[in-house]
Amino acid sequence: MMQTNALSAMRAISSAKPIQKRRAMRASTRDARAVTPRASLAVDVARWTLSVPTMYAMVSINEYITHRYYQHAEFNKNETLKRVWCFFTRQKEAPKVGGGGHIEHHAETLDDMSLRVDDKWMKSEPAAVLEGNTYRGTAFEWDVTGLMTMQMVITCVPVLALMGFSAGPMAALIGGSTLAHALIWNSLHPAMHGLNEVPLQDGIPSLWLARYRESKYYDYLYLNHSGHHVLSGQCNYNVCCPLVDHVLGTYVEPEVWMKKTRVPFGKEHREFYPAGEYARNLAAKAAAAAIEGALQADAPADEGERDLVAA
């Protein structure tokens, strides 16, 4: 309505007297100024509203690609990705990725999500890869968070620029999304495998969202990631932001993968987030070994005493 009034006023200017022309021009200018802020506000509201699903999708995409093609080293098997890498880097041969210990993490995880501490595993070469890693490759420590931030910047800036965002809002959206992802990851992943809570000096603190571990959302994430382990890392690559698995057909429902578990699974057999369980199991194993060693050391002395008594 205001746009129509402004156009009508402009048409009337040519046939009006000088004083009337000036009055008509001022009136049309006021109408135009009134329309522009409202249109700009509507665009801003639409842009920020769309940014929420957009950033969720970008986190889901980055999480999926990193988990599947880097951590599970499927980059090494994908000739298309290797050609793309060579094209952009001008290299003749693509590098071979090792997964950063993630493959070894799968090897030491049992189907109930606890970690192996048996002698055969602890003396193996894969276990040696994780030696000295406090969180056994499960946590978003600060270095990993930094890499995720860089990845998000590279992939999200073009998308947000097309949406009309300037540098400041881009930084807020990328930083906020990366922080939210690390918060959920650290509150979910290390504890579900029985590792210690993540303190601030190591990464985004896991206890900040620990209160939500009993929520339906976390139950869904727990089951989703458990299926990823049970099926040997061949499905359910999204950990915190389920989306791409459903789009690409790599999501497997609990009703399917639970039939293939090799140990009892569920809260009635093992709580979902037994933080510190791995350290307790190692301590119990060490204590049992010490007791066994002491008994074996006492055995020869006991035999000597029996020989003396018999003599």
Side-chain angles (χ1 to χ4, degrees), residues 54-55 58 153-165 170:
T54 298
M55 293 310 298
M58 293 306 298
V153 169
I154 293 170
T155 55
C156 294
V157 165
V159 175
L160 295 176
L162 287 174
M163 294 177 68
F165 284 104
M170 280 187 193

Side-chain angles (χ1 to χ4, degrees), residues 17-37:
K17 295 180 180 179
I19 295 177
Q20 292 175 326
K21 286 183 178 181
R22 287 195 294 273
R23 290 175 179 173
M25 183 63 73
R26 286 195 293 269
S28 64
T29 301
R30 286 195 302 270
D31 290 342
R33 288 174 178 172
V35 171
T36 302

